[in-house]
Amino acid sequence: MNSELTSLIEKAKAAPRALSVGELVQLLSVESADDRAALSAAGRELKLRQCGKGVAVRGLVEAGNVCAKDCLYCGIRKSNACVKRYRLSADEIVAGAAASKAMGYKSLVIQSGEIESEAHTRFIEEVLERIRPLDLGVTLSLGEQTEEVYARWRAAGATRYLLRIETSNPALYAKIHPSDCSWTRRVDCLRALRRTGYQVGTGVMCALPGQSVEDLARDIVFYGEMDVDMIGMGPFIPAENTPMGMANDGRGMTNEERLRLGLKMIAVTRLYLHDVNIAAATALQALQDDGRELGVLAGANVIMPNVTDVQYRRSYQLYANKPNLDENAAALRDRLDCRLSAIGEHILYDQLGDSRHFAART
Ligand code: 5AD
């Protein structure tokens, strides 16, 4: 490893937010196997220092794929007519939450396509009120809403919210979204979530066409500026029947390159922010079977195993090659258990796994 890389890593480890955009670019640009290993090892070391051994888990319920948005990269975009649309009933979501708890997952994520309506707001409120007695950490990932809606869901029992900014570069954002999507509104939503008292999570896709390494460095600075508590990010993977889904046509990056970039983003984000929760996204596993484990070895401390009933999994494919389409939640947990043991880690059963950054700032 070159001495310049060693000293950058030491500087990053010594204090959060210590690196400039240029220095972040340098870290994100490492290519040799040795340098990439050193970066991951440093991310992992900080993860262990900040979060200890163990991986926090959240059972993921994919509550529905009906979506009002037409994002150019996403498999469940509104105008993808090939998708069979579904919405789980309140009973089904509550059953998912109960099953998740029974498996030892103390936290739950409810994610769905984006819907803004009073009926939907009310529906989620009811679901949250019914889940409340289970005493779980509840994360919502339901897109852009008004501050009033965020507040209602917060009052009904949700404590965390994930809303990816997708990219911190407004010009790139405009290229991958239709014109009715606004980067500024996303930022406003993140601020509203913060005011409403949530643990706030955001993130980006890396490996986007037209994205520079400097964009990625600025994404990490954006996380710091927004002072977020949780990060969920992963490589863009072309999805079938989408404008950006030119899968397997030889253009763009290989899966290996996407994975490498995703792992570098995790390590450098850990090195820059230190105490946030960072998820090893399922997209990493779509690129390589042990992708999420590699994410943990680069500094991630959260995994979100799917607990959605298998009959719906195929209908919630944001990108190609989604893993675990047929395995039920218990089988997935047992396999995850084995895989984490193999890397000297384990599932943190019956623990909320709240963000340390949130605890420190409140
Ligand atoms: N590749 C990778 N991630 C995707 N997402 C949507 N489509 C894709 C894709 N093709 C991510 C977005 C969104 C999250 C729910 O899924 O970042 O915020």
Side-chain angles (χ1 to χ4, degrees):
M1 187 183 21
N2 67 60
S3 62
E4 203 181 350
L5 179 59
T6 314
S7 64
L8 272 184
I9 286 176
E10 286 313 314
K11 183 173 171 186
K13 282 198 298 199
R17 306 183 197 193
L19 302 184
S20 66
V21 170
E23 289 169 329
L24 292 170
V25 167
Q26 263 181 283
L27 288 184
L28 290 168
S29 304
V30 302
E31 285 301 344
S32 75
D34 280 356
D35 287 353
R36 285 184 289 110
L39 201 57
S40 273
R44 165 114 175 114
E45 186 190 327
L46 258 188
K47 179 266 182 199
L48 289 172
R49 202 203 288 169
Q50 292 289 332
C51 318
K53 276 238 173 154
V55 175
V57 281
R58 293 82 174 78
L60 173 66
V61 176
E62 293 159 342
N65 63 2
V66 178
C67 193
K69 289 275 172 78
D70 222 9
C71 308
L72 275 60
Y73 46 83
C74 184
I76 63 167
R77 66 198 300 266
K78 176 173 69 178
S79 58
N80 185 355
C82 304
V83 174
K84 190 175 156 207
R85 304 287 165 172
Y86 75 93
R87 279 160 102 158
L88 296 192
S89 67
D91 284 351
E92 286 174 311
I93 301 175
V94 175
S100 196
K101 174 165 179 161
M103 285 196 307
Y105 300 163
K106 180 92 177 152
S107 285
L108 184 75
V109 178
I110 302 174
Q111 184 173 81
S112 80
E114 203 167 297
I115 303 169
E116 279 190 85
S117 74
E118 175 55 30
H120 181 63
T121 302
R122 188 72 218 119
F123 173 76
I124 297 294
E125 264 178 336
E126 280 165 21
V127 167
L128 290 168
E129 292 293 359
R130 287 181 56 189
I131 288 175
R132 202 197 281 274
L134 295 174
D135 197 27
L136 299 168
V138 180
T139 308
L140 298 180
S141 179
L142 305 174
E144 295 172 11
Q145 305 286 341
T146 63
E147 184 159 353
E148 187 215 328
V149 170
Y150 290 144
R152 282 170 63 182
W153 290 343
R154 179 79 186 79
T159 51
R160 313 170 179 148
Y161 205 102
L162 298 171
L163 181 68
R164 288 189 179 178
I165 190 70
E166 312 297 358
T167 168
S168 65
N169 178 341
L172 180 57
Y173 189 93
K175 280 196 195 134
I176 62 172
H177 292 96
S179 57
D180 63 343
C181 289
S182 152
W183 183 86
T184 311
R185 179 169 191 223
R186 283 240 146 171
V187 175
D188 288 345
C189 284
L190 288 170
R191 297 218 167 94
L193 287 163
R194 167 103 177 199
R195 281 194 296 273
T196 321
Y198 285 91
Q199 292 179 52
V200 181
T202 194
V204 300
M205 287 179 288
C206 59
L208 285 166
Q211 187 178 45
S212 67
V213 183
E214 186 171 331
D215 286 330
L216 294 171
R218 291 188 189 281
D219 289 340
I220 294 173
V221 172
F222 175 88
Y223 302 155
E225 284 169 357
M226 296 300 289
D227 202 24
V228 293
D229 308 299
M230 319 181 288
I231 309 288
M233 60 189 166
F236 161 67
I237 304 173
E240 271 180 63
N241 306 309
T242 61
M244 285 168 65
M246 34 193 182
N248 305 322
D249 68 351
R251 279 183 288 175
M253 297 168 96
T254 64
N255 280 355
E256 191 179 338
E257 289 166 334
R258 291 178 199 283
L259 177 67
R260 278 186 193 177
L261 194 54
L263 296 174
K264 282 196 272 187
M265 281 296 282
I266 289 175
V268 179
T269 299
R270 174 65 70 198
L271 284 167
Y272 189 72
L273 295 177
H274 287 208
D275 62 354
V276 293
N277 276 351
I278 302 179
T282 309
L284 296 174
Q285 196 189 359
L287 293 170
Q288 189 170 307
D289 194 39
D290 62 350
R292 288 180 311 178
E293 291 75 55
L294 295 175
V296 172
L297 290 173
N301 69 312
V302 173
I303 287 183
M304 312 197 308
N306 205 320
V307 297
T308 313
D309 193 301
V310 288
Q311 65 171 312
Y312 297 113
R313 299 250 181 103
R314 272 167 217 286
S315 301
Y316 202 89
Q317 295 197 62
L318 307 179
Y319 43 75
N321 203 27
K322 178 186 181 185
N324 313 321
L325 289 175
D326 297 308
E327 243 174 324
N328 72 32
L332 283 180
R333 180 200 53 190
D334 294 344
R335 204 145 56 88
L336 181 61
D337 239 339
C338 289
R339 286 160 167 251
L340 290 178
S341 305
I343 59 165
E345 284 278 351
H346 57 273
I347 293 176
L348 293 170
Y349 285 108
D350 302 310
Q351 292 186 38
L352 282 172
D354 279 323
S355 161
R356 285 175 51 103
H357 184 74
F358 180 75
R361 76 172 168 84
T362 53

